Amino acid sequence: MQVNLRIRRFNPEKDQKAWWGEYTLSDALPTDTVLDLLHRVKWEMDGTLALRRSCAHGVCGSDAVRINGANALACKTLVQRLSGGNGSATIQVEPILGLRVIKDLIVDMEPFMEHYRSVLPYFINDSPPPADGRERLQSAEDRARFDDTTKCILCACCTTSCPSFWANEKYVGPAAIVQAHRFIYDSRDEGAAERLAVVGDTFGVWRCRTNFNCTSACPRDIEVTKAIAEVKKVLATGEI
């Protein structure tokens, strides 16, 4: 099938502003991914194209881009999902929004990672270990409370699809709140108060306007908006 691929290009060393590159691929397969197409452009047509990718199997989250106006992982988006059913497809690829473009499809992830680090995304427990010296046990019910938010791969699809983040990059963003939720609801952790102080601040969860962009964008099907609501509930009631 024929694919007309439009890619948002920008090279800060020579471009004054971003522009659209047009590429026609005449023998694409319906089962090709958008990442496959980007590889073909880079390897067969224009080696200057810059993109970020690693595992190519939806695990590392490094190839998050904006495809036909919606955030997604290039490696998990099949051409057949974007086809008009007439043997061809027009696909537009651009960098995720709200983060500075370094080159072409590569953005500066540091502001996103700074928000991630701010919620202390690691296990905190200063109590003595169990008497038998083994692991801190947890019931299946307690584990289930944060199971969904353990699936985050830090691709930034949720945060960079959020209008509140576009409006103000100081907003900690959905991904950081998901990480905070994962530990706040962990019955073995003792750092909830510190994390709640971060997500309950001016640029925390109350910036969320509940428009569900984040949930729609998540490639791991995490119920992001629900997790944010649960963190809001803890802040409002004081009960986990």
Side-chain angles (χ1 to χ4, degrees):
M1 65 186 300
Q2 177 172 302
V3 174
N4 300 310
L5 191 60
R6 301 184 76 228
I7 304 175
R8 191 77 165 170
R9 305 291 305 271
F10 176 68
N11 182 347
E13 295 182 351
K14 65 177 184 178
D15 297 327
Q16 295 298 313
K17 61 180 181 179
W19 51 281
W20 289 102
E22 308 271 354
Y23 308 91
T24 300
L25 301 171
S26 59
D27 54 351
L29 299 174
T31 52
D32 282 343
T33 66
V34 171
L35 181 61
D36 291 330
L37 303 184
L38 293 173
H39 278 160
R40 285 191 56 189
V41 170
K42 182 174 179 63
W43 295 339
E44 301 173 10
M45 304 172 76
D46 186 349
T48 67
L49 175 65
L51 67 150
R52 184 179 281 133
R53 79 285 194 198
S54 184
C55 77
H57 288 81
V59 178
C60 71
S62 63
D63 62 346
V65 289
R66 194 166 175 84
I67 301 172
N68 288 356
N71 284 5
L73 297 184
C75 65
K76 291 191 67 178
T77 305
L78 297 179
V79 172
Q80 62 189 9
R81 290 174 49 194
L82 307 170
S83 169
N86 57 358
S88 65
T90 297
I91 301 173
Q92 179 172 293
V93 184
E94 54 191 314
I96 49 180
L97 303 179
L99 296 171
R100 181 179 65 87
V101 175
I102 296 176
K103 185 181 180 184
D104 294 335
L105 301 177
I106 298 176
V107 298
D108 180 6
M109 293 288 286
E110 182 51 32
F112 171 82
M113 300 307 294
E114 183 178 350
H115 290 314
Y116 166 63
R117 292 190 293 268
S118 73
V119 299
L120 312 177
Y122 43 81
F123 188 66
I124 297 174
N125 190 321
D126 294 327
S127 299
D132 61 5
R134 303 189 66 178
E135 70 269 29
R136 304 175 194 275
L137 299 179
Q138 184 176 56
S139 69
E141 291 76 15
D142 284 345
R143 175 63 176 78
R145 298 185 72 194
F146 63 93
D147 185 69
D148 196 38
T149 48
T150 64
K151 297 185 295 185
C152 179
I153 56 174
L154 297 176
C155 64
C157 280
C158 59
T159 295
T160 58
S161 67
C162 174
S164 294
F165 183 73
W166 299 339
N168 194 326
E169 66 178 15
K170 292 182 180 178
Y171 171 42
V172 68
I177 299 171
V178 162
Q179 293 294 328
H181 178 284
R182 179 258 174 269
F183 290 100
I184 289 171
Y185 277 84
D186 189 332
S187 59
R188 303 163 300 177
D189 186 86
E190 297 179 345
E194 297 169 68
R195 297 188 185 90
L196 289 169
V198 175
V199 297
D201 202 359
T202 305
F203 294 102
V205 293
W206 307 114
R207 292 265 169 175
C208 170
R209 295 296 180 265
T210 323
N211 65 17
F212 287 87
N213 274 18
C214 51
T215 300
S216 299
C218 180
R220 302 303 298 268
D221 295 326
I222 298 172
E223 295 182 277
V224 180
T225 311
K226 179 183 176 183
I228 294 173
E230 290 178 345
V231 173
K232 287 179 177 177
K233 183 179 179 181
V234 174
L235 286 165
T237 65
E239 298 179 1
I240 300 176

